[in-house]
Amino acid sequence: MKLTSFMRSGFTLLPVEVEISLLPGLPQIVFLGLPDTMIRESVGRIKSALKHQGFEFPQARQVLVQLRPAHLRKSSHGLDLAVAAGILWETGQLKKPEGVPVVYGELSLKGEVICPDDIADLPNDSSSPPVLTGKGGAFDFPTLQATTLRELLNADRVHASLISSGWQRPECPDLLLSRESAELLAIAASGEHSVLIAGPPGTGKTTAAEAIHHVLLPIPTEVSRVAQRYSRIQGDDLKWRPLVQPHHSITSLAMIGGGAPPLPGEITRAHGGLLVMDEFLEFQPVVQEALREPMEKGEVRIARGSSRRSFPAQFLLIATTNLCPCGQFLPNRDELCRCPRGRRMAYLTRLRGPFIDRFTMTMFTHTWSKQLEIPLLEVRERIDRATTFRIVTRGQSYLNSKLREDEVINSLTTFQRKQILPQAEMSKRRLLSMVRVARTLADLDLSIKIENKHIDRAAELCVENFQALARASAQ
């Protein structure tokens, strides 16, 4: 008797072939194929469930259960039902189904069929055979759902459903912002552009970074499902896009992931959401450098010995920092800094150019006025209008931060190309960042074309502030 079930491999479920054979011997269940303790403990549950449901365990017969692939260590929440059903079908106590059945479910001691908590991690393929499991609601794949072992013959067929992720956008808090910080939130959240916020203490850096989480846009269902899967395994119950705020003492292993076998880190927990790095320059340089590739590729690949894993890491990075120990230093404005020059320069050497270049925007907060007059809700409404304009009017479904190079160049007028492209001191990454932000500014103004004022403001945020920061760290 052969059937298909699933085993856990890291953060996914992989198919496992379950082959059951009855041989003369003691009435016991023997698992072959590297089962873990959880699977071996299922022997008692299976025997108890069969007895309470009025079935007989094979007398003077040994039940061999072979799990393939045999060379992999196996752990599973749902092999109980697969083995119990296989025994009933093999012994003729229940009618054997046609084909190779797919079974994944837990059993109680009294034979009740329980839908495993991780069943949502199964591949959502509506063309696959239905999965026999316990009562558990609707899924993206077809299921046969039964309450007890006795009901396996009359399991209810539940078709694949287009169910929502269950996410709900949080309400905006009663927060007032300055015009400068409101502009930053609108640009960063509308286009999902990463930003480094630098400035003196008490100017609202952290408040602005955390407020972005309340104005972020919804994301595609497939991305939210992946984010929920990783958060569920780590014990979290996401209701909205994740907000991850690691302490600056975090190690690169905890941030990126690792171990044997490799496990995901904080950047995977932030997948589909917001990663806030407060006191950015206090993070270890190795942590900063390790973020470069995930920011570009949207995933992190980890190799430990013979194990290799890829984990998703698509997140919006917002970093805040002071630029000296006292916090008062800013480029072209050092008269308020009380730090000795040597100590200040030692602090600025933590600004590692290749990683800083990964930030789309750089903003200094010393210009942020103390006049708090713009509600956060008004910022979110402006972002929603810009998003509707981008999708409906311009016909662009993806974010401006994902614009390709050819799309960026084609969005400029001939005059703008002649004015911008020949600038040799501007790297290609800076150029792309500037035009992407300019496109977002145009969307916020509900403008089809990128105007010169949008280019000028984007150049200040993406090029001039970045160059000022680079000069300060090189002095």
Side-chain angles (χ1 to χ4, degrees):
M1 176 66 204
K2 291 184 179 180
L3 60 153
T4 299
S5 191
F6 298 92
M7 67 178 183
R8 178 152 293 284
S9 176
F11 287 77
T12 59
L13 290 176
L14 299 179
V16 58
E17 180 187 87
V18 181
E19 183 179 6
I20 296 176
S21 178
L22 303 181
L23 297 177
L26 295 175
Q28 60 182 352
I29 300 175
V30 178
F31 284 98
L32 307 175
L34 299 180
D36 68 352
T37 303
M38 183 186 301
I39 294 177
R40 290 195 295 268
E41 284 183 348
S42 67
V43 172
R45 292 192 295 270
I46 294 170
K47 287 186 173 181
S48 176
L50 291 174
K51 179 180 178 181
H52 279 85
Q53 291 294 308
F55 297 110
E56 292 184 359
F57 192 84
Q59 298 299 315
R61 308 282 289 278
Q62 180 176 242
V63 179
L64 292 182
V65 181
Q66 168 71 14
L67 306 177
R68 292 194 182 93
H71 66 286
L72 297 178
R73 175 69 62 181
K74 297 170 187 65
S75 179
S76 177
H77 295 177
L79 276 178
D80 297 7
L81 180 61
V83 176
I87 292 173
L88 294 176
W89 292 328
E90 183 69 10
T91 58
Q93 298 182 67
L94 286 180
K95 182 181 178 181
K96 186 178 179 179
E98 298 180 358
V100 179
V102 180
V103 185
Y104 191 66
E106 299 180 47
L107 287 177
S108 71
L109 295 179
K110 293 187 177 181
E112 298 162 336
V113 181
I114 304 168
C115 186
D117 293 338
D118 61 352
I119 193 171
D121 297 340
L122 291 178
N124 53 342
D125 186 359
S126 59
S127 62
S128 300
V131 179
L132 179 59
T133 186
K135 297 285 186 179
F139 300 101
D140 287 337
F141 46 86
T143 57
L144 293 170
Q145 299 182 4
T147 304
T148 64
L149 282 177
R150 276 285 174 191
E151 295 181 6
L152 293 185
L153 280 176
N154 302 313
D156 297 330
R157 185 181 183 93
V158 180
H159 296 279
S161 303
L162 295 176
I163 57 176
S164 66
S165 63
W167 283 19
Q168 184 175 2
R169 201 176 188 184
E171 294 184 1
C172 276
D174 295 330
L175 179 65
L176 295 177
L177 304 168
S178 65
R179 290 194 174 276
E180 297 86 351
S181 58
E183 180 194 41
L184 170 68
L185 265 64
I187 299 172
S190 180
E192 298 211 2
H193 304 291
S194 58
V195 57
L196 173 63
I197 310 173
T203 52
K205 302 186 298 294
T206 303
T207 300
E210 294 175 349
I212 291 177
H213 185 246
H214 295 279
V215 297
L216 286 176
L217 299 167
I219 53 177
T221 301
E222 57 271 19
V223 179
S224 66
R225 292 288 176 80
V226 174
Q228 286 178 316
R229 176 191 306 165
Y230 282 91
S231 67
R232 181 170 55 251
I233 294 175
Q234 294 177 340
D236 298 331
D237 184 18
L238 281 183
K239 298 302 182 184
W240 180 240
R241 300 178 62 174
L243 170 63
V244 178
Q245 298 175 276
H247 191 263
H248 58 75
S249 61
I250 192 173
T251 64
S252 61
L253 184 70
M255 178 68 88
I256 304 300
L263 296 176
E266 290 293 272
I267 61 173
T268 297
R269 197 161 70 88
H271 176 68
L274 181 66
L275 177 65
V276 176
M277 297 179 68
D278 205 7
E279 303 296 340
F280 175 69
L281 292 189
E282 297 293 337
F283 283 82
Q284 299 178 24
V286 66
V287 174
Q288 298 181 23
E289 291 299 312
L291 285 172
R292 287 167 57 181
E293 182 179 355
M295 288 181 67
E296 292 282 340
K297 302 293 181 60
E299 67 174 358
V300 57
R301 298 178 180 178
I302 302 173
R304 296 293 185 271
S306 60
S307 298
R308 289 170 174 80
R309 296 278 176 82
S310 293
F311 298 113
Q314 298 179 22
F315 54 85
L316 172 60
L317 177 59
I318 308 295
T320 69
T321 188
N322 301 323
L323 296 179
C324 70
C326 77
Q328 296 298 326
F329 174 76
L330 282 173
N332 305 321
R333 185 176 176 269
D334 59 356
E335 66 278 1
L336 297 179
C337 179
R338 303 186 299 273
C339 303
R341 186 176 185 278
R343 189 180 178 194
R344 184 177 69 206
M345 297 315 299
Y347 199 81
L348 284 174
T349 57
R350 303 178 187 181
L351 283 171
R352 308 181 73 85
F355 178 58
I356 297 297
D357 196 30
R358 262 60 179 183
F359 285 96
T360 302
M361 298 185 294
T362 305
M363 180 169 278
F364 303 124
T365 61
H366 69 284
T367 60
W368 289 12
S369 67
K370 296 294 184 180
Q371 188 173 0
L372 306 178
E373 54 185 351
I374 300 181
L376 183 61
L377 180 59
E378 182 178 319
V379 175
R380 186 159 81 172
E381 291 172 349
R382 187 186 180 196
I383 293 170
D384 292 345
R385 287 194 297 270
T387 303
T388 302
F389 176 82
R390 168 174 59 82
I391 296 174
V392 178
T393 305
R394 292 204 298 111
Q396 178 184 312
S397 59
Y398 47 89
L399 297 166
N400 290 328
S401 58
K402 306 299 182 183
L403 282 170
R404 301 189 307 272
E405 183 177 355
D406 59 329
E407 294 175 311
V408 166
I409 301 303
N410 292 335
S411 64
L412 301 174
T413 65
T414 303
F415 175 76
Q416 289 169 340
R417 293 178 202 170
K418 292 180 179 179
Q419 195 175 34
I420 296 174
L421 299 184
Q423 299 185 40
E425 71 276 6
M426 189 187 305
S427 70
K428 180 180 292 187
R429 184 176 285 113
R430 287 294 97 202
L431 173 64
L432 291 175
S433 297
M434 183 182 70
V435 182
R436 286 168 176 167
V437 170
R439 179 64 265 173
T440 299
L441 287 166
D443 288 342
L444 290 168
D445 286 345
L446 307 183
S447 172
I448 292 290
K449 295 182 178 180
I450 299 177
E451 301 177 5
N452 289 339
K453 64 178 182 179
H454 302 137
I455 293 288
D456 294 340
R457 182 54 176 156
E460 180 182 353
L461 294 172
C462 303
V463 181
E464 296 173 13
N465 288 349
F466 171 79
Q467 292 174 343
L469 200 58
R471 286 194 299 268
S473 61
Q475 291 176 353

